[in-house]
Amino acid sequence: MTNGRVNPARTLEHQGMTGLGPVHYNLLEPALIDAALRRGEGRLGQGGTLLVSTGKFTGRSPKDKFIVRTPSVENDIWWDNNAAMEPDAFDRLHADMLAHMKGGEYFVQDLYGGADPEHRLDVRVVSELAWHNLFIRHLLRRPSRAELDGFEPEFTIVNCPSFKADPARHGCRTDTVIALNLDKKLILIANTEYAGENKKSVFTLLNYILPGKGVMAMHCSANHANGDPDDAAVFFGLSGTGKTTLSADPERTLIGDDEHGWSENGIFNFEGGCYAKTINLREEAEPEIYATTRTFGTVIENMVYDPETLELDFDDDSLTANTRCAYPLEQIANASATGLAGHPKNIVMLTCDAFGVLPPIARLTPAQAMYHFLSGFTSKVAGTERGVTEPEPTFSTCFGAPFMPRRPEVYGQLLQQKINDHGATCWLVNTGWTGGAYGTGSRMPIRSTRTLLTAALDGTLNAGQFRKDPHFGFEVPVSCPGVADVLLDPRKTWSVNEEYDAQAQKLVNMFADNFAQYVPYIADDVKAAAIG
């Protein structure tokens, strides 16, 4: 054992990890950077950042993620969405990984998942790579040094990129594996250097544990009015819909940009940091995120840089378009110090509609909110993937299907109950196209989106006049100061109204076809809210 603080009764040896080489517990940022540089894991960048590459794995490996099928979880897991691993296969994987780790140097961080002390998860992360330990120290919540003396991990993550799994022996798909054993409270990650697997494993755990306690787990960003944590809002949305951008408002305090819970006490951030995309990042558009790319301790992942000046190239996607930086939340000036807020007054569901038929904002009933939450709609556009020649719908239930171990209606019903109990107003915001589909119309003006969102959050929009949309059934405001009235009626933005009607009906049918899978499991009011 070297450096750091640790509960002496809870070392790795007490957890059965014996025969290891040097083990470093709870090192702080300077020591972790020193270790990463000593071990050749990265390069010191401008301002004391750490420049790293994740090799061939530049994103998550969702098809290599497994949950161990045991009697205690058999009836709770959404097996259509989560691959199963047999307990004996997991045990062989665990034993073989421990044998592989003998004599190696490892780094340990004891951290919290969740800002609410009543619902947080005490997590130990054991990393083969020092920079992985720095990454997860940024992304989860950090106990005080005194708290570490009595820290007892409830779950342990062991991440060993140099170990290759054997599909025949370990019951997995390839030599890469992420295996969650909820009974043994253990997660094993092998043969991937992509650091995001660490944080998303914790998110998956919380998505399983918290609903069993009546706490809603959410893939969303969140903020509250400056000086008023009881005026909170959450923003659901898939990649590319504006979840991070729209929650970053100088007039509001950022609670977090990715993962939150909603308990009897209000909402709380799961994390202590941010994992922001950097491709095409611009200082004038997102100055605070841009500034973190030159701040001590920030992990810069898979970015191309000048070998002499170390200047970052934000536009070069030759390694991957999924370039990112990881940093503590306190690097954002208007971030919440507590990660806590009251019950949200507004629920915002973001979609990027490339079909060009959804209005820029609509008000939803609680039943309609559950419908759109379960649908999780956005769209791909031509050119984003080979073979995509026209807009294609993407439905990712609960706005985060890869991280949902339970069936979608569990989360949907819990969200609907929270909305009903606390009177939140629900909004659907389209950041996609208007005046026609992608290729014909134009992108929704970001200034108009921000104006509408501000009016929704401060209550002025809710007090105005609304019309019922004939295709989708939700309510659409007829006017908002600072926004052209025509923008609020997408049919009027099309040059040929009949073409709009045909496109709208096409999208309605897509929604209905996708939602058919949930009909046997949902209440009558949500069925009545279904479109199509």
Side-chain angles (χ1 to χ4, degrees):
M1 181 175 71
T2 62
N3 300 320
R5 301 282 289 272
V6 65
N7 183 342
R10 293 293 182 268
T11 65
L12 293 190
E13 289 188 346
H14 290 93
Q15 294 182 271
M17 285 178 261
T18 59
L20 304 180
V23 177
H24 310 278
Y25 290 90
N26 296 307
L27 296 185
L28 301 182
E29 290 79 2
L32 287 169
I33 291 174
D34 280 346
L37 297 175
R38 167 178 60 83
R39 291 160 51 90
E41 296 176 4
R43 186 169 181 182
L44 195 65
Q46 292 187 356
T49 60
L50 184 65
L51 308 174
V52 300
S53 168
T54 63
K56 69 175 183 178
F57 292 93
T58 57
R60 292 181 298 102
S61 301
K63 293 182 179 179
D64 293 309
K65 184 176 178 180
F66 297 83
I67 295 178
V68 178
R69 189 193 292 267
T70 60
S72 66
V73 303
E74 173 71 36
N75 296 325
D76 295 328
I77 302 299
W78 181 23
W79 294 113
D80 290 343
N81 187 60
N82 295 274
M85 176 179 284
E86 295 305 313
D88 58 346
F90 179 89
D91 291 343
R92 288 191 294 271
L93 174 65
H94 187 202
D96 291 350
M97 186 179 289
L98 290 180
H100 172 86
M101 293 168 62
K102 299 285 187 184
E105 182 178 25
Y106 285 86
F107 301 84
V108 179
Q109 287 290 325
D110 292 326
L111 301 162
Y112 297 139
D116 186 338
E118 293 184 34
H119 299 294
R120 73 188 181 201
L121 185 69
D122 296 356
V123 181
R124 166 166 285 180
V125 182
V126 182
S127 309
E128 183 178 28
L129 297 176
W131 82 261
H132 273 196
N133 227 231
L134 176 63
F135 170 92
I136 202 64
R137 178 171 173 79
H138 288 339
L139 266 296
L140 292 185
R141 303 191 68 84
R142 297 162 289 280
S144 69
R145 304 303 279 174
E147 287 175 313
L148 291 172
D149 292 335
F151 188 95
E152 296 192 16
E154 184 177 356
F155 271 83
T156 298
I157 299 172
V158 181
N159 191 324
C160 190
S162 68
F163 179 80
K164 293 183 181 295
D166 179 346
R169 176 171 170 78
H170 301 134
C172 49
R173 190 182 70 98
T174 68
D175 51 9
T176 297
V177 66
I178 303 98
L180 289 72
N181 192 319
L182 295 166
D183 282 2
K184 294 194 171 182
K185 300 188 175 182
L186 180 63
I187 299 175
L188 304 177
I189 304 174
N191 194 43
T192 172
E193 293 186 28
Y194 184 66
E197 299 287 11
N198 296 282
K199 92 179 202 94
K200 288 305 185 185
S201 292
V202 176
F203 184 37
T204 302
L205 278 179
L206 290 167
N207 279 341
Y208 176 77
I209 294 168
L210 293 180
K213 302 166 62 178
V215 178
M216 179 64 188
M218 306 179 290
H219 187 210
C220 69
S221 59
N223 64 25
H224 67 73
N226 288 339
D228 187 3
D230 288 327
D231 184 1
V234 300
F235 302 78
F236 292 100
L238 297 168
S239 179
T241 59
K243 178 162 59 80
T244 298
T245 300
L246 292 174
S247 61
D249 182 340
E251 300 302 317
R252 297 178 67 85
T253 299
L254 180 67
I255 304 168
D257 76 337
D258 199 31
E259 301 164 4
H260 294 80
W262 187 353
S263 75
E264 69 280 7
N265 303 317
I267 58 175
F268 60 98
N269 192 357
F270 288 170
E271 301 185 301
C274 298
Y275 191 31
K277 290 185 177 180
T278 56
I279 193 69
N280 304 132
L281 182 66
R282 292 292 183 269
E283 183 174 15
E284 58 273 18
E286 297 183 89
E288 290 194 311
I289 296 176
Y290 187 89
T292 69
T293 64
R294 288 169 169 77
T295 303
F296 177 79
T298 295
V299 177
I300 308 290
E301 197 177 84
N302 293 324
M303 287 194 69
V304 175
Y305 55 88
D306 186 286
E308 294 183 4
T309 67
L310 304 181
E311 192 72 31
L312 300 171
D313 189 336
F314 291 91
D315 299 323
D316 192 329
D317 62 357
S318 58
L319 294 177
T320 176
N322 191 33
T323 58
R324 290 182 179 264
C325 62
Y327 51 89
L329 197 60
E330 54 261 30
Q331 288 194 20
I332 301 299
N334 69 327
S336 167
T338 65
L340 302 169
H343 300 288
K345 290 185 177 179
N346 289 279
I347 307 291
V348 180
M349 298 183 186
L350 301 167
T351 183
C352 177
D353 171 28
F355 296 85
V357 296
L358 292 178
I361 195 166
R363 186 171 63 187
L364 307 175
T365 66
Q368 289 172 333
M370 182 176 175
Y371 178 88
H372 284 276
F373 179 70
L374 290 175
S375 297
F377 166 72
T378 192
S379 47
K380 299 176 185 177
V381 296
T384 58
E385 291 184 10
R386 187 170 57 184
V388 178
T389 58
E390 64 176 8
E392 289 187 0
T394 297
F395 294 95
S396 183
T397 189
C398 307
F399 297 97
F403 322 116
M404 301 297 160
R406 297 178 183 267
R407 281 203 54 86
E409 59 272 9
V410 172
Y411 306 98
Q413 290 164 2
L414 192 51
L415 179 64
Q416 187 179 11
Q417 176 188 330
K418 295 286 187 185
I419 292 170
N420 287 330
D421 288 349
H422 301 287
T425 303
C426 302
W427 306 92
L428 182 70
V429 172
N430 173 26
T431 60
W433 271 257
T434 186
Y438 172 83
T440 302
S442 58
R443 194 72 189 258
M444 197 72 69
I446 184 64
R447 181 174 297 179
S448 296
T449 300
R450 288 191 179 278
T451 299
L452 288 164
L453 194 54
T454 297
L457 298 187
D458 68 18
T460 57
L461 194 64
N462 204 31
Q465 183 181 354
F466 288 76
R467 66 175 178 85
K468 184 176 181 179
D469 186 277
H471 293 284
F472 298 94
F474 42 50
E475 294 182 313
V476 182
V478 298
S479 66
C480 177
V483 178
D485 289 351
V486 66
L487 195 67
L488 292 165
D489 189 346
R491 190 173 190 268
K492 293 180 179 178
T493 67
W494 284 55
S495 57
V496 180
N497 289 345
E498 291 75 16
E499 291 182 1
Y500 169 85
D501 292 335
Q503 186 83 325
Q505 189 58 49
K506 179 179 178 180
L507 184 56
V508 165
N509 293 340
M510 291 176 181
F511 265 93
D513 290 344
N514 172 74
F515 200 76
Q517 63 186 302
Y518 306 121
V519 170
Y521 306 101
I522 59 174
D524 290 341
D525 61 338
V526 180
K527 293 177 184 177
I531 55 180

